[in-house]
Amino acid sequence: MQEKMDKIARAKELDAVATAEIEEKVQKKMLVAEENKENMRREYSNKMQEKMDKIARAKELDVVATAEIEEKVQKKILNAEENKQHMLQEYSIKMQEKMD
């Protein structure tokens, strides 16, 4: 009878050790899974931030390009106005010379 009780006690000890080992493995796997989840979340956040930064840079470049184009257009308008004034003056002078 004592032998049977000792066997049962050893089986319970082995079962307790196995259960503890399984629980330890589960805990390790859960930690790894949580780390992976956090890494994925961080990578996603970083990628989204990079995309937002890229969009912001593109918008800035668009603003700069638009400003440059507007500046060129204004210069051309000023040059055209100056040419017009110069041509009108020349025309006026020629007309005045013809009348004299």
Side-chain angles (χ1 to χ4, degrees):
M1 182 76 160
Q2 183 63 30
E3 191 175 308
K4 199 172 192 182
M5 295 292 278
D6 288 344
K7 253 186 177 179
I8 291 172
R10 278 194 300 271
K12 285 184 179 181
E13 286 175 14
L14 289 175
D15 190 38
V17 168
T19 301
E21 288 175 354
I22 291 171
E23 287 177 357
E24 184 178 334
K25 286 181 183 179
V26 168
Q27 283 289 10
K28 286 181 182 178
K29 286 185 179 186
M30 288 176 70
L31 285 174
V32 168
E34 187 62 34
E35 287 176 10
N36 289 342
K37 182 179 174 182
E38 185 60 34
N39 287 340
M40 287 175 56
R41 188 178 300 134
R42 193 176 311 116
E43 287 174 16
Y44 177 77
S45 294
N46 288 342
K47 285 182 182 181
M48 290 305 294
Q49 186 61 46
E50 287 173 5
K51 286 181 181 181
M52 295 303 289
D53 291 345
K54 187 175 180 180
I55 290 169
R57 282 192 302 276
K59 285 182 180 179
E60 288 175 11
L61 291 175
D62 284 347
V63 168
V64 169
T66 301
E68 289 174 354
I69 291 170
E70 287 177 355
E71 184 178 336
K72 288 178 182 178
V73 167
Q74 288 298 322
K75 284 182 182 179
K76 286 184 179 187
I77 290 171
L78 287 175
N79 285 338
E81 187 64 32
E82 288 175 2
N83 288 341
K84 178 182 168 185
Q85 291 297 324
H86 182 69
M87 287 172 55
L88 285 174
Q89 283 178 342
E90 286 181 8
Y91 182 73
S92 292
I93 292 171
K94 285 182 182 180
M95 292 303 287
Q96 189 67 31
E97 289 174 354
K98 282 185 179 182
M99 295 181 103
D100 288 339

